[in-house]
Amino acid sequence: MDRRTVFNGRLLPVMLLLPQLLLTFFFFYWPAGEAVWSSLITQDAFGQGWVFVGVDNFVDLFTDPLYLDSIVRTVLFCVAVSVLSMGIALGLAVFADRSISGRGVYRTLLIWPYAIAPAMSAVLFLFVLNPRVGLLGRWLNHHGVAWDYTLNGAQAMLMVVSASAWKQVSYNFIFFLAGLQSIPRAVTEAARMDGAKGWHRFLTITFPLLAPTTFFLVVVNVVYAAFDTFGAIYALTQGGPGKDTETLVIKVFRDGVINQDIGSSSAQSVVLMAGVIAITAVQFRFMGRRTVS
Amino acid sequence: MRERPDFLAHGVLILGVLLFALPVWLVFAGSTQDSDAITRGELSLVPHLSNLSVYARVLTTRTMGTEPVWHMLLISFGMALAVAFGKIVISILSAYAVVFFRFPFRQVAFWLIFVTLMLPVEVRIIPTYAVMADFGLINTFTGLWVPLIASATATLLFRQVFTAIPDELVEAARIDGAGPLRFLWDIVLPVSGANIAALFVILFVLGWNQYLWPLLVATNQGLDTIVIGIVKMIGQETQTDWSAVMATTVLALLPPVLVVVLMQRWFVAGLTEGEK
């Protein structure tokens, strides 16, 4: 792992490292430390003084039914987004892996949505599914379906799940396709000669061989759904109607930035950090090093 | 022995392509239609190609109280390029130091960077805002990109790439009397070209697509990115100039999509390569 030949010098490497270390300190460690500290104290109403309250903010948080609801909602949201986007991506990848004409074109036309921001995905969905101007949304209402995600919580959830999953399909598609292409043809050919039928061959040979890719994507998709979908949800529903689409990140934003409740939002930040650390630890435990942003 | 075309595969893939293309086509078609008609619920998939002037209108004038689109695109371009180049430069420098030098606390420095992999910006919104305020970076262009360029993932990637450079190359360079900076510039950067290109695509898209961060640190309308601007536009439910919003949406999608499509080869290889 370590190389034999290196350059001499002490000052130069430190200078090279300095920009990254300074930024890391000021924008990662300091805020993280501040979040932990703020979560352990409470400030008086005028921000003049503070009292150390230990884990009180956390106790408040975990006895607050609204927070617990938000946790459950976030978990369901993550599962729905991951299953939907990975399922569609895997289906497309399996067919894009076949030797058919125009594969390259199909691939490009399925990869470009990688470039779409979650917030932009929400905007596109609005034009399709808004009950008043959206093409499909209006059609639904004309045909006896009372579709209005600005009033109906379940429909709102369906909407933010779809918009978030839609944008993520191409990322998953790229990885599933790469995974499929790395499976030796000899293996699938051998299964074919043994008489395994298409669907059966997929379940018993292909899918198990894709397990590392699948596991990696589960982690990436859960992190994506938990954090990166802020823009999609905020643009479509702002967490509403009521709190029906309020995930944990939306709640931190609402409590901290809009309602200025520093104690609670800091405690929420610390809980989220713990969550990310747990997910990362699981990933490293089972996968070894991964280097994708 | 030629088999018949795989109709099932073509069918499924065409459905997939349409799933992504249709919404964008709808928005393009809508951008050329009359806003009042769209408000009345008459949005259709047929564009009126004589109305493409809406693009000139949104690019140069303020529609719906936002900055003109050229200005928001400029902010987005600036932010995306600054994030991409900033991350690449400081990550190359720090990975180079960790791989090609031996100095005290080398491993400590590496781990300090590495641990931040676990702290996405979304989980430390509030305290980071406080730090930004201390530095006077709220509502500045610098504030939009500088805090985003620290990157554990890019550093890890370059560390992996640099570690694979054979020792013989380093020895040869030293015999030729090349110093560390010369070696970095003449050898290391050229051989990492494909990785840099791939990372550029990923980071450009990442920078372009930021939403929460600019929402938080730049409330000044002059610093609105195009993504922020569009979400503001659709937030106003009454009197929406739909064709302007849709034209703006098309213009916001074009740059990152072009970058991904044009650099697809490097991008796909780079994205999945780290996976081995």
Side-chain angles (χ1 to χ4, degrees), chain B residues 23-239:
Chain B
V24 177
W25 176 258
L26 176 69
V27 175
F28 168 69
S31 70
T32 64
Q33 293 162 21
D34 179 49
S35 287
D36 294 333
I38 296 175
T39 308
R40 287 196 302 272
E42 293 167 15
L43 179 63
S44 87
L45 281 167
V46 185
H48 302 174
L49 289 176
S50 55
N51 289 345
L52 286 174
S53 61
V54 65
Y55 285 90
R57 180 164 69 89
V58 297
L59 272 171
T60 53
T61 61
R62 293 163 164 268
T63 47
M64 301 185 60
T66 57
E67 295 291 305
V69 167
W70 73 263
H71 192 271
M72 296 193 285
L73 284 176
L74 194 68
I75 301 285
S76 284
F77 262 114
M79 185 174 169
L81 289 175
V83 167
F85 281 116
K87 272 187 192 265
I88 288 173
V89 168
I90 69 166
S91 300
I92 285 180
L93 294 182
S94 43
Y96 188 71
V98 170
V99 173
F100 288 99
F101 291 88
R102 291 291 167 272
F103 54 95
F105 304 114
R106 186 176 69 100
Q107 289 298 341
V108 176
F110 177 72
W111 279 98
L112 279 175
I113 296 167
F114 176 74
V115 168
T116 61
L117 198 63
M118 303 174 187
L119 293 172
V121 68
E122 284 79 5
V123 308
R124 50 193 166 82
I125 308 168
I126 314 300
T128 309
Y129 185 86
V131 173
M132 295 289 288
D134 292 344
F135 280 113
L137 287 174
I138 303 295
N139 276 326
T140 62
F141 181 74
T142 316
L144 277 182
W145 65 276
V146 169
L148 297 184
I149 65 172
S151 176
T153 45
T155 307
L156 272 172
L157 177 79
F158 283 119
R159 193 185 80 129
Q160 201 175 322
V161 173
F162 294 169
T163 307
I165 293 177
D167 275 319
E168 289 70 24
L169 265 180
V170 190
E171 274 155 27
R174 289 185 58 166
I175 291 165
D176 287 348
L181 291 179
R182 178 155 196 114
F183 181 67
L184 171 64
W185 187 256
D186 283 349
I187 309 286
V188 174
L189 286 186
V191 302
S192 316
N195 300 88
I196 294 175
L199 200 59
F200 175 81
V201 179
I202 296 167
L203 298 177
F204 182 89
V205 170
L206 180 82
W208 188 276
N209 288 350
Q210 288 296 317
Y211 178 71
L212 178 56
W213 184 251
L215 185 69
L216 197 67
V217 300
T219 45
N220 174 356
Q221 183 169 307
L223 287 170
D224 278 354
T225 64
I226 190 88
V227 177
I228 293 274
I230 290 172
V231 178
K232 274 190 185 173
M233 284 177 164
I234 63 163
Q236 319 168 357
E237 275 275 344
T238 51
Q239 293 291 310

Side-chain angles (χ1 to χ4, degrees), chain A residues 3 5-7 20 24 27-29 31 98 101 106 108 115 117 127 135 138 166 175 227 269 276 290 292, chain B residues 6 10 19-20 27 41 43 94 100 112 116 118 123-124 127 151 155 162 165 167 171 174 209 264 275:
Chain A
R3 44 189 339 121
T5 319
V6 292
F7 290 105
Q20 180 93 274
T24 305
F27 297 111
F28 285 82
Y29 287 106
R98 291 193 182 177
S101 52
Y106 282 126
T108 305
F127 295 135
L135 197 65
R138 227 174 49 232
W166 183 80
F175 279 92
F227 302 111
S269 292
V276 183
R290 291 286 168 180
V292 165
Chain B
D6 190 340
H10 284 287
L19 176 70
F20 295 112
V27 175
L43 179 63
S94 43
F100 288 99
L112 279 175
T116 61
M118 303 174 187
V123 308
R124 50 193 166 82
S151 176
T155 307
F162 294 169
I165 293 177
D167 275 319
E171 274 155 27
R174 289 185 58 166
N209 288 350
Q264 189 188 338
E275 289 318 294

